[in-house]
Amino acid sequence: MKTKNVYSSHPGHWFVTGKSTNGHGLFRWPAGILPFFLTALALLPLIVLGQSYYSTPYTFTTIAGNSGYGNADGTNSAAQFAFPSSVAVDANGNIFVADTVNSTIREVTPVGNNWVVTTLAGLAGCTGTNDGTGYAARFAYPNGMALDNAGNLYVADTGNDTIREVTQVGTNWVVTTLVGLPGTAGTNDGTGNAVRFNGPGGVAVDSAGNVYVSDTGNHTIRSMTPAGSNWVVTTIIGLPGVTGSANGIGSAARFFFPFGLTVATNGSLYVADYANDAIRKVTPVGVNWSVTTLATGFNGPYGVAVDNANYVYVTATANHAISKVTPSGGVTTLAGSVGNSGTNNGTGGAARFAYPCGVVLDSAGNLFVADSGNSTIRKVTPMGLVTTLAGLAESLGSTDGAGSATQFHFPFRMAVDTNGIVYVTDEVNNTIRKITPVGANWVVTTIAGLAGSAGANDGTGSAARFNGPCGVALDSTGNLYVTDGINNTIRKLTPVGSDWIVTTIAGSPGASGAVNGTNKAARFNLPVSLTVDSGGNLYVADFNNNIIREVTPVGTNWVVTTIATGFNGPEGVALDNAGNLYVADLFNFTIRKVTPVGSNWVVTTLAGLARSPGYNDGTNSTARFGWPQDVAVDSAGNIYESDQGINAIRKLTPVGTNWVVTTLAGRPGYIGEIDGTGSNARFNEQTGLALDNAGNLYVADSGHNTIRKGFPASSVTSPMLQPPSLSAAQFGFGITGMPKLAVNIEASSDLATWQVVGTCCLAGGTNYFFDPNPGLGAQFYRSHVR
């Protein structure tokens, strides 16, 4: 992974982003396996052989806000996508979409003035390797996609390290694996499943039917040549595993995570060299291929398309814009505003995109764009007019209301009271919000601040002003305390009837520093989080000062002291029942403990290794974190952590003198806004974390402006195997008691040696049929939760 551009995660708070080998933050980390077993045709309950009690996964649902993510087929904005990354268009104007996080292939068909979206292949939310027809096929985060002259689709199935073909047969679409071995990365040239790829990210097809692949993780470009019923794969440019930017011939050339590629009419390839921020031209020279750099200065170029005059069109993800490159390398912006994301339609710089990825040209010169961050498909005319064809963009704003009708703008931290009411700092809106459970709904109201109006005013309700409010905490009498980040102050919100009165208790608006003192004489430098003890003392993570502060009530005053130093970007803080303080030490990638010893505070590291980011579960320093953001502690002393860097929720369990780290929800490195259990759930730049008395977790999913609720999967009815069904010599698998369960099916004749014979996604009934092989005789079957 290469660290790239610096961006603001929230106002005044800067992080360095990383670019992944799969694009869109889709790091291909291996998932843990939780086995459970079943015997074929035995009408027995499904037996779950879980890991230790501390690793029970959590099931998450969205209770407020609307990310726009989804998998619904439908017309125009009634359809939903989940981070679509690539598009292709046929001669009839039908658009084909690699819907990456859904792991499906979709079609967007023009019908009059409307666009109708249907799913052609794959089952949303269920990854796998199966070839087959329609929803029986499985993909694993497909990225690049291209059409040949016969209308066949070629797909870079990134998570499976394979190239797939999707062919129309009547009204159906049949998926076959052409080359590569699912889940086995490598560099081998050859044919069929002897070939190895490493997270292939892009594909293109020339007029002769040859397929070209950007083998992203290997930093090479490969060719696939049809030879009868086989495909011969050769590496034509770059050296596997070696990064760089050198121009040259064959293996002397270098790339750095190449993604999108396209073929010009003269046979030249254009490649989006993502981590080099460049567009490269790959030209055939006899039997060799030569690389030159056409243009530089992009910020994460991902998709490329080329017209008949050799003008190249580029989606630069972090620029949020569509660029046009002349044959001589001159660059202009066709649509979007560089560095400014959004959802607006319009012409040229008035339009807005959010991490656009795939791009393709039709015969009339129109561009179609997979606007990944918005989960929409957009059209850009030759004059730069942008319209949204299909999908529902993220609902970002400040609307109060219930459930998905509400809007947030980077919700950051949360606190929950004994009645289950959740309080949220809505950071970019500069407001404090309240989320109240009302029956099966969650109702959002704004209790202080005015959306879009930054300031430092004390006052009641909307007359008060905040500037980048970050942390929030509740005391035992129902008062709220807020770290007002950019104002460098600590604010108090006191409930008076139905109103909330805001006062500043420490720090001076706009004056930064590290000075201890009383009330406004004290100074902070981006306070981002706080917690409160039973005595009303506040503990503050003073981010830019790399220290922990205590704010103590003394009569009507508040006295600020420094209690602990030696942190590197302290983020979330939480207290246990014994008065110990726990800190998410962001840039040290560790969880720290601050223990009161007499009048002193002693700092120790519980888990993670300083300055060593990663995703590993494990014990103490063998565990790894990626940008730990927030922490919460339950009554048993377990610590819950929001790991923003890997889009996962983690748990630290005390076992003797050790701390065992496990992942409760999310799949490390995979982003999304998908409700589900354990590794099937997806998050995007989640920050705040709160815990209620029942053990439920509340997460501020900041990247998609939603609030999520999680509860232990053990509190759901345990998964039970439905009575097996037989149909046309097939054996039907199904479960009850869980919303969805993705599994690998394995077979054995002796209960000792097992072989994977299929993958499936079980969801509330028999929805997967397996063909037993009569030639194998009697078999046992088991499945692993993936």
Side-chain angles (χ1 to χ4, degrees), residues 81-89 94-100 104-108 117-118 120-121 142-143 145 153 155 369-370 376-377 390:
F81 299 89
F83 223 101
S85 66
S86 185
V87 284
V89 62
N94 301 300
I95 304 165
F96 299 89
V97 181
D99 198 3
T100 301
T104 56
I105 306 301
R106 318 283 292 278
E107 183 178 14
V108 186
V117 178
T118 54
L120 304 182
N143 273 267
M145 187 168 59
L153 281 168
V155 179
V369 178
T376 55
I377 306 302

Side-chain angles (χ1 to χ4, degrees), residues 72-80 390-392:
D73 288 338
T75 301
N76 303 336
S77 62
Q80 291 178 303
L392 180 65

Side-chain angles (χ1 to χ4, degrees), residues 48-286:
V48 178
L49 302 181
Q51 293 171 312
S52 313
Y53 69 95
Y54 46 76
S55 62
T56 301
Y58 269 57
T59 297
F60 276 85
T61 59
T62 300
I63 62 173
N66 187 350
S67 70
Y69 260 49
N71 55 53
D73 288 338
T75 301
N76 303 336
S77 62
Q80 291 178 303
F81 299 89
F83 223 101
S85 66
S86 185
V87 284
V89 62
D90 67 16
N92 297 316
N94 301 300
I95 304 165
F96 299 89
V97 181
D99 198 3
T100 301
V101 173
N102 278 328
S103 291
T104 56
I105 306 301
R106 318 283 292 278
E107 183 178 14
V108 186
T109 305
V111 180
N113 293 323
N114 296 313
W115 293 82
V116 178
V117 178
T118 54
T119 301
L120 304 182
L123 183 62
C126 293
T127 60
T129 65
N130 297 29
D131 289 338
T133 301
Y135 72 87
R138 295 292 182 272
F139 298 87
Y141 307 99
N143 273 267
M145 187 168 59
L147 277 164
D148 68 12
N149 292 335
N152 302 303
L153 281 168
Y154 298 88
V155 179
D157 197 3
T158 308
N160 281 326
D161 299 308
T162 56
I163 306 300
R164 317 285 290 279
E165 183 179 26
V166 187
T167 305
Q168 188 170 14
V169 179
T171 59
N172 297 316
W173 291 79
V174 178
V175 179
T176 54
T177 301
L178 301 181
V179 287
L181 186 64
T184 305
T187 64
N188 298 19
D189 289 338
T191 60
N193 62 11
V195 175
R196 298 290 183 271
F197 294 93
N198 187 4
V203 290
V205 185
D206 67 17
S207 58
N210 300 300
V211 178
Y212 300 91
V213 179
S214 55
D215 197 2
T216 306
N218 280 327
H219 314 289
T220 57
I221 307 299
R222 319 279 291 274
S223 73
M224 294 171 51
T225 305
S229 60
N230 295 317
W231 290 82
V232 179
V233 175
T234 56
T235 302
I236 62 173
I237 201 83
L239 186 63
V242 181
T243 64
S245 59
N247 292 321
I249 295 175
S251 61
R254 296 290 182 270
F255 296 88
F256 201 168
F257 294 132
F259 267 99
L261 76 166
T262 189
V263 185
T265 54
N266 62 8
S268 296
L269 305 176
Y270 293 90
V271 180
D273 199 359
Y274 186 78
N276 277 325
D277 294 321
I279 301 302
R280 315 287 292 281
K281 183 178 181 180
V282 183
T283 306
V285 180

Side-chain angles (χ1 to χ4, degrees), residues 24 111 203 359 415 470 565 607-608 687 742 744 786:
H24 335 305
V111 180
V203 290
V359 61
C470 294
T565 61
T687 51
N744 290 331
R786 292 188 292 111

Side-chain angles (χ1 to χ4, degrees), residues 48 711-720 735-739:
V48 178
F711 46 91
S714 58
S715 65
V716 185
T717 305
S718 298
M720 297 291 291
I735 59 166
T736 60
M738 288 190 73

Side-chain angles (χ1 to χ4, degrees), residues 235-429:
T235 302
I236 62 173
I237 201 83
L239 186 63
V242 181
T243 64
S245 59
N247 292 321
I249 295 175
S251 61
R254 296 290 182 270
F255 296 88
F256 201 168
F257 294 132
F259 267 99
L261 76 166
T262 189
V263 185
T265 54
N266 62 8
S268 296
L269 305 176
Y270 293 90
V271 180
D273 199 359
Y274 186 78
N276 277 325
D277 294 321
I279 301 302
R280 315 287 292 281
K281 183 178 181 180
V282 183
T283 306
V285 180
V287 296
N288 297 313
W289 292 78
S290 175
V291 175
T292 56
T293 300
L294 175 64
T296 59
F298 302 92
N299 196 351
Y302 188 96
V304 286
V306 61
D307 65 20
N308 291 335
N310 289 327
Y311 283 84
V312 179
Y313 301 86
V314 181
T315 54
T317 56
N319 276 344
H320 311 295
I322 313 300
S323 299
K324 183 176 182 178
V325 184
T326 69
S328 61
V331 180
T332 57
T333 300
L334 175 65
S337 177
V338 173
N340 297 305
S341 64
T343 64
N344 298 17
N345 290 323
T347 301
R352 294 290 184 271
F353 298 87
Y355 303 98
C357 287
V359 61
V360 67
L361 269 166
D362 70 9
S363 58
N366 300 299
L367 292 170
F368 298 94
V369 178
D371 194 5
S372 300
N374 283 322
S375 290
T376 55
I377 306 302
R378 316 284 292 277
K379 179 181 178 180
V380 186
T381 69
M383 300 305 294
L385 174 62
V386 179
T387 54
T388 301
L389 305 183
L392 180 65
E394 176 181 22
S395 184
L396 182 150
S398 59
T399 303
D400 287 340
S404 62
T406 60
Q407 296 174 312
F408 297 86
H409 198 169
F410 212 88
F412 193 67
R413 291 280 192 263
M414 296 183 299
V416 58
D417 68 15
T418 54
N419 296 314
I421 296 172
V422 181
Y423 297 89
V424 182
T425 54
D426 198 2
E427 192 180 44
V428 177
N429 277 327

